[in-house]
Amino acid sequence: MLENHEKPKVNTMKIIQSIILVTILGLFAFAGNTRAQCESYPKRAHNIVELARSSDNLSTLVQALKAGDLAETLQGEGPYTVFAPTNAAFEALPEGTLESLLKPENKEKLVQILTYHVVPGKNKSSDLTDGMMAKTVQGKAIKIKISGGNVNIHGASVTSADRMATNGVVHVIDKVILPPEK
């Protein structure tokens, strides 16, 4: 006996709608993933000051650069190597020192201290050598000490090296270094 088997009816519209829905959901998933990947990278390269502004632990340095009228210079062509003290490094100065340095009447002293943290040229950590003397923008030299992979400048340790900027490089340090007295 032969039974009459009917072919199931295919609803072409439902299949097309399903394909469209899956495609749209896939595009949203791809777009969301791409956005997350893009947000993890900077929108554009930063100069030294913009890099410092984007770092919460360097906000005091940015404030000091503005007070010393040095922000514009460090946004310029460069290249510069900046040994950037953290907020904690500024807070570790004797009580009242930072507040005093930020006053307009102490601008010259502030500039002397800040420019002692800046070396002309782009010196990545791989360019630094033990015993190296680097002349600062302030005019006096700083001595680089390297021991066991740790970089030290006048008692300040580099805690984060090679933060690349469009106009140089920033090495974050844990202490404000002071130029020697005349």
Side-chain angles (χ1 to χ4, degrees):
M1 296 221 216
L2 293 173
E3 291 183 29
N4 187 5
H5 290 284
E6 288 184 30
K7 286 186 180 178
K9 291 184 180 179
V10 176
N11 188 338
T12 309
M13 280 306 285
K14 284 196 175 199
I15 291 174
I16 291 172
Q17 287 174 339
S18 295
I19 291 171
I20 290 171
L21 181 62
V22 169
T23 303
I24 291 172
L25 291 175
L27 288 173
F28 279 125
F30 175 76
N33 189 33
T34 302
R35 175 180 285 153
Q37 289 172 347
C38 289
E39 287 174 356
S40 67
Y41 296 100
K43 304 269 186 281
R44 62 182 181 84
H46 295 293
N47 64 48
I48 290 169
V49 175
E50 291 169 336
L51 189 143
R53 276 190 196 126
S54 71
S55 213
D56 289 340
N57 67 338
L58 297 178
S59 60
T60 305
L61 174 63
V62 173
Q63 180 184 9
L65 290 172
K66 288 179 184 176
D69 289 329
L70 295 172
E72 189 174 316
T73 301
L74 291 178
Q75 289 175 347
E77 189 174 321
Y80 303 105
T81 299
V82 177
F83 295 97
T86 62
N87 294 347
F90 280 104
E91 290 167 9
L93 290 171
E95 189 175 332
T97 302
L98 178 61
E99 294 78 13
S100 176
L101 287 171
L102 295 175
K103 292 180 179 177
E105 60 268 21
N106 295 324
K107 179 179 170 182
E108 186 177 323
K109 187 170 185 171
L110 176 64
V111 168
Q112 290 295 309
I113 292 169
L114 292 175
T115 57
Y116 193 61
H117 291 78
V118 181
V119 174
K122 187 175 190 175
N123 298 290
K124 296 185 285 185
S125 60
S126 59
D127 300 324
L128 304 176
T129 58
D130 187 42
M132 175 181 178
M133 296 297 289
K135 188 171 182 181
T136 66
V137 171
Q138 185 264 355
K140 299 210 178 353
I142 54 174
K143 186 174 184 177
I144 311 292
K145 292 183 182 180
I146 301 174
S147 176
N150 297 318
V151 179
N152 187 286
I153 300 99
H154 292 281
S157 295
V158 174
T159 59
S160 178
D162 297 334
R163 291 191 180 185
M164 302 309 290
T166 56
N167 61 343
V169 62
V170 173
H171 303 293
V172 178
I173 58 175
D174 64 357
K175 184 178 175 186
V176 176
I177 56 176
L178 302 173
E181 295 294 324
K182 293 180 180 178

mmCIF file with all atom_site columns, all heavy atoms in Angstrom, residues 27-39:
data_model
loop_
_atom_site.group_PDB
_atom_site.id
_atom_site.type_symbol
_atom_site.label_atom_id
_atom_site.label_alt_id
_atom_site.label_comp_id
_atom_site.label_asym_id
_atom_site.label_entity_id
_atom_site.label_seq_id
_atom_site.pdbx_PDB_ins_code
_atom_site.Cartn_x
_atom_site.Cartn_y
_atom_site.Cartn_z
_atom_site.occupancy
_atom_site.B_iso_or_equiv
_atom_site.pdbx_formal_charge
_atom_site.auth_seq_id
_atom_site.auth_comp_id
_atom_site.auth_asym_id
_atom_site.auth_atom_id
_atom_site.pdbx_PDB_model_num
ATOM 1  N N   . LEU A 1 27 ? 25.253 41.692 12.898 1.00 0.00 ? 27 LEU A N   1
ATOM 2  C CA  . LEU A 1 27 ? 25.860 43.002 12.658 1.00 0.00 ? 27 LEU A CA  1
ATOM 3  C C   . LEU A 1 27 ? 25.940 43.815 13.942 1.00 0.00 ? 27 LEU A C   1
ATOM 4  O O   . LEU A 1 27 ? 26.943 44.485 14.213 1.00 0.00 ? 27 LEU A O   1
ATOM 5  C CB  . LEU A 1 27 ? 25.080 43.776 11.589 1.00 0.00 ? 27 LEU A CB  1
ATOM 6  C CG  . LEU A 1 27 ? 25.245 43.259 10.160 1.00 0.00 ? 27 LEU A CG  1
ATOM 7  C CD1 . LEU A 1 27 ? 24.286 43.996 9.227  1.00 0.00 ? 27 LEU A CD1 1
ATOM 8  C CD2 . LEU A 1 27 ? 26.678 43.434 9.692  1.00 0.00 ? 27 LEU A CD2 1
ATOM 9  N N   . PHE A 1 28 ? 24.878 43.758 14.772 1.00 0.00 ? 28 PHE A N   1
ATOM 10 C CA  . PHE A 1 28 ? 24.911 44.483 16.043 1.00 0.00 ? 28 PHE A CA  1
ATOM 11 C C   . PHE A 1 28 ? 26.007 43.920 16.953 1.00 0.00 ? 28 PHE A C   1
ATOM 12 O O   . PHE A 1 28 ? 26.725 44.661 17.602 1.00 0.00 ? 28 PHE A O   1
ATOM 13 C CB  . PHE A 1 28 ? 23.561 44.428 16.761 1.00 0.00 ? 28 PHE A CB  1
ATOM 14 C CG  . PHE A 1 28 ? 22.563 45.416 16.250 1.00 0.00 ? 28 PHE A CG  1
ATOM 15 C CD1 . PHE A 1 28 ? 21.306 45.008 15.819 1.00 0.00 ? 28 PHE A CD1 1
ATOM 16 C CD2 . PHE A 1 28 ? 22.861 46.768 16.185 1.00 0.00 ? 28 PHE A CD2 1
ATOM 17 C CE1 . PHE A 1 28 ? 20.380 45.920 15.347 1.00 0.00 ? 28 PHE A CE1 1
ATOM 18 C CE2 . PHE A 1 28 ? 21.946 47.691 15.720 1.00 0.00 ? 28 PHE A CE2 1
ATOM 19 C CZ  . PHE A 1 28 ? 20.704 47.261 15.301 1.00 0.00 ? 28 PHE A CZ  1
ATOM 20 N N   . ALA A 1 29 ? 26.132 42.605 16.987 1.00 0.00 ? 29 ALA A N   1
ATOM 21 C CA  . ALA A 1 29 ? 27.166 41.991 17.817 1.00 0.00 ? 29 ALA A CA  1
ATOM 22 C C   . ALA A 1 29 ? 28.550 42.400 17.333 1.00 0.00 ? 29 ALA A C   1
ATOM 23 O O   . ALA A 1 29 ? 29.427 42.746 18.122 1.00 0.00 ? 29 ALA A O   1
ATOM 24 C CB  . ALA A 1 29 ? 27.015 40.467 17.792 1.00 0.00 ? 29 ALA A CB  1
ATOM 25 N N   . PHE A 1 30 ? 28.760 42.390 16.019 1.00 0.00 ? 30 PHE A N   1
ATOM 26 C CA  . PHE A 1 30 ? 30.047 42.796 15.448 1.00 0.00 ? 30 PHE A CA  1
ATOM 27 C C   . PHE A 1 30 ? 30.333 44.262 15.754 1.00 0.00 ? 30 PHE A C   1
ATOM 28 O O   . PHE A 1 30 ? 31.421 44.619 16.175 1.00 0.00 ? 30 PHE A O   1
ATOM 29 C CB  . PHE A 1 30 ? 30.052 42.558 13.930 1.00 0.00 ? 30 PHE A CB  1
ATOM 30 C CG  . PHE A 1 30 ? 31.302 43.055 13.273 1.00 0.00 ? 30 PHE A CG  1
ATOM 31 C CD1 . PHE A 1 30 ? 32.494 42.334 13.380 1.00 0.00 ? 30 PHE A CD1 1
ATOM 32 C CD2 . PHE A 1 30 ? 31.315 44.241 12.555 1.00 0.00 ? 30 PHE A CD2 1
ATOM 33 C CE1 . PHE A 1 30 ? 33.652 42.784 12.778 1.00 0.00 ? 30 PHE A CE1 1
ATOM 34 C CE2 . PHE A 1 30 ? 32.470 44.691 11.949 1.00 0.00 ? 30 PHE A CE2 1
ATOM 35 C CZ  . PHE A 1 30 ? 33.636 43.959 12.069 1.00 0.00 ? 30 PHE A CZ  1
ATOM 36 N N   . ALA A 1 31 ? 29.330 45.122 15.579 1.00 0.00 ? 31 ALA A N   1
ATOM 37 C CA  . ALA A 1 31 ? 29.506 46.562 15.828 1.00 0.00 ? 31 ALA A CA  1
ATOM 38 C C   . ALA A 1 31 ? 29.823 46.808 17.298 1.00 0.00 ? 31 ALA A C   1
ATOM 39 O O   . ALA A 1 31 ? 30.686 47.614 17.625 1.00 0.00 ? 31 ALA A O   1
ATOM 40 C CB  . ALA A 1 31 ? 28.260 47.338 15.405 1.00 0.00 ? 31 ALA A CB  1
ATOM 41 N N   . GLY A 1 32 ? 29.152 46.122 18.191 1.00 0.00 ? 32 GLY A N   1
ATOM 42 C CA  . GLY A 1 32 ? 29.417 46.290 19.618 1.00 0.00 ? 32 GLY A CA  1
ATOM 43 C C   . GLY A 1 32 ? 30.815 45.861 19.974 1.00 0.00 ? 32 GLY A C   1
ATOM 44 O O   . GLY A 1 32 ? 31.523 46.515 20.729 1.00 0.00 ? 32 GLY A O   1
ATOM 45 N N   . ASN A 1 33 ? 31.267 44.740 19.419 1.00 0.00 ? 33 ASN A N   1
ATOM 46 C CA  . ASN A 1 33 ? 32.610 44.254 19.677 1.00 0.00 ? 33 ASN A CA  1
ATOM 47 C C   . ASN A 1 33 ? 33.653 45.215 19.114 1.00 0.00 ? 33 ASN A C   1
ATOM 48 O O   . ASN A 1 33 ? 34.648 45.503 19.754 1.00 0.00 ? 33 ASN A O   1
ATOM 49 C CB  . ASN A 1 33 ? 32.772 42.855 19.071 1.00 0.00 ? 33 ASN A CB  1
ATOM 50 C CG  . ASN A 1 33 ? 34.069 42.206 19.492 1.00 0.00 ? 33 ASN A CG  1
ATOM 51 O OD1 . ASN A 1 33 ? 34.539 42.427 20.593 1.00 0.00 ? 33 ASN A OD1 1
ATOM 52 N ND2 . ASN A 1 33 ? 34.648 41.415 18.613 1.00 0.00 ? 33 ASN A ND2 1
ATOM 53 N N   . THR A 1 34 ? 33.427 45.718 17.937 1.00 0.00 ? 34 THR A N   1
ATOM 54 C CA  . THR A 1 34 ? 34.355 46.660 17.319 1.00 0.00 ? 34 THR A CA  1
ATOM 55 C C   . THR A 1 34 ? 34.446 47.935 18.141 1.00 0.00 ? 34 THR A C   1
ATOM 56 O O   . THR A 1 34 ? 35.516 48.463 18.374 1.00 0.00 ? 34 THR A O   1
ATOM 57 C CB  . THR A 1 34 ? 33.913 46.981 15.873 1.00 0.00 ? 34 THR A CB  1
ATOM 58 O OG1 . THR A 1 34 ? 33.854 45.766 15.155 1.00 0.00 ? 34 THR A OG1 1
ATOM 59 C CG2 . THR A 1 34 ? 34.883 47.922 15.206 1.00 0.00 ? 34 THR A CG2 1
ATOM 60 N N   . ARG A 1 35 ? 33.315 48.429 18.616 1.00 0.00 ? 35 ARG A N   1
ATOM 61 C CA  . ARG A 1 35 ? 33.325 49.641 19.445 1.00 0.00 ? 35 ARG A CA  1
ATOM 62 C C   . ARG A 1 35 ? 34.143 49.413 20.698 1.00 0.00 ? 35 ARG A C   1
ATOM 63 O O   . ARG A 1 35 ? 34.960 50.240 21.069 1.00 0.00 ? 35 ARG A O   1
ATOM 64 C CB  . ARG A 1 35 ? 31.899 50.054 19.812 1.00 0.00 ? 35 ARG A CB  1
ATOM 65 C CG  . ARG A 1 35 ? 31.901 51.235 20.786 1.00 0.00 ? 35 ARG A CG  1
ATOM 66 C CD  . ARG A 1 35 ? 30.518 51.673 21.174 1.00 0.00 ? 35 ARG A CD  1
ATOM 67 N NE  . ARG A 1 35 ? 29.953 52.384 20.056 1.00 0.00 ? 35 ARG A NE  1
ATOM 68 C CZ  . ARG A 1 35 ? 28.653 52.466 19.831 1.00 0.00 ? 35 ARG A CZ  1
ATOM 69 N NH1 . ARG A 1 35 ? 27.808 51.878 20.628 1.00 0.00 ? 35 ARG A NH1 1
ATOM 70 N NH2 . ARG A 1 35 ? 28.204 53.131 18.803 1.00 0.00 ? 35 ARG A NH2 1
ATOM 71 N N   . ALA A 1 36 ? 33.950 48.268 21.358 1.00 0.00 ? 36 ALA A N   1
ATOM 72 C CA  . ALA A 1 36 ? 34.702 47.983 22.573 1.00 0.00 ? 36 ALA A CA  1
ATOM 73 C C   . ALA A 1 36 ? 36.191 47.917 22.276 1.00 0.00 ? 36 ALA A C   1
ATOM 74 O O   . ALA A 1 36 ? 37.014 48.429 23.034 1.00 0.00 ? 36 ALA A O   1
ATOM 75 C CB  . ALA A 1 36 ? 34.225 46.669 23.192 1.00 0.00 ? 36 ALA A CB  1
ATOM 76 N N   . GLN A 1 37 ? 36.559 47.306 21.146 1.00 0.00 ? 37 GLN A N   1
ATOM 77 C CA  . GLN A 1 37 ? 37.965 47.238 20.790 1.00 0.00 ? 37 GLN A CA  1
ATOM 78 C C   . GLN A 1 37 ? 38.522 48.630 20.512 1.00 0.00 ? 37 GLN A C   1
ATOM 79 O O   . GLN A 1 37 ? 39.615 48.957 20.927 1.00 0.00 ? 37 GLN A O   1
ATOM 80 C CB  . GLN A 1 37 ? 38.159 46.355 19.557 1.00 0.00 ? 37 GLN A CB  1
ATOM 81 C CG  . GLN A 1 37 ? 37.924 44.892 19.850 1.00 0.00 ? 37 GLN A CG  1
ATOM 82 C CD  . GLN A 1 37 ? 37.918 44.051 18.574 1.00 0.00 ? 37 GLN A CD  1
ATOM 83 O OE1 . GLN A 1 37 ? 37.857 44.581 17.480 1.00 0.00 ? 37 GLN A OE1 1
ATOM 84 N NE2 . GLN A 1 37 ? 37.959 42.751 18.750 1.00 0.00 ? 37 GLN A NE2 1
ATOM 85 N N   . CYS A 1 38 ? 37.793 49.458 19.813 1.00 0.00 ? 38 CYS A N   1
ATOM 86 C CA  . CYS A 1 38 ? 38.258 50.804 19.464 1.00 0.00 ? 38 CYS A CA  1
ATOM 87 C C   . CYS A 1 38 ? 38.386 51.680 20.696 1.00 0.00 ? 38 CYS A C   1
ATOM 88 O O   . CYS A 1 38 ? 39.285 52.497 20.791 1.00 0.00 ? 38 CYS A O   1
ATOM 89 C CB  . CYS A 1 38 ? 37.312 51.474 18.466 1.00 0.00 ? 38 CYS A CB  1
ATOM 90 S SG  . CYS A 1 38 ? 37.397 50.734 16.831 1.00 0.00 ? 38 CYS A SG  1
ATOM 91 N N   . GLU A 1 39 ? 37.486 51.520 21.673 1.00 0.00 ? 39 GLU A N   1
ATOM 92 C CA  . GLU A 1 39 ? 37.533 52.365 22.863 1.00 0.00 ? 39 GLU A CA  1
ATOM 93 C C   . GLU A 1 39 ? 38.728 52.039 23.739 1.00 0.00 ? 39 GLU A C   1
ATOM 94 O O   . GLU A 1 39 ? 39.130 52.835 24.560 1.00 0.00 ? 39 GLU A O   1
ATOM 95 C CB  . GLU A 1 39 ? 36.226 52.246 23.645 1.00 0.00 ? 39 GLU A CB  1
ATOM 96 C CG  . GLU A 1 39 ? 35.081 52.956 22.938 1.00 0.00 ? 39 GLU A CG  1
ATOM 97 C CD  . GLU A 1 39 ? 33.734 52.747 23.606 1.00 0.00 ? 39 GLU A CD  1
ATOM 98 O OE1 . GLU A 1 39 ? 33.650 51.991 24.584 1.00 0.00 ? 39 GLU A OE1 1
ATOM 99 O OE2 . GLU A 1 39 ? 32.763 53.359 23.131 1.00 0.00 ? 39 GLU A OE2 1
#
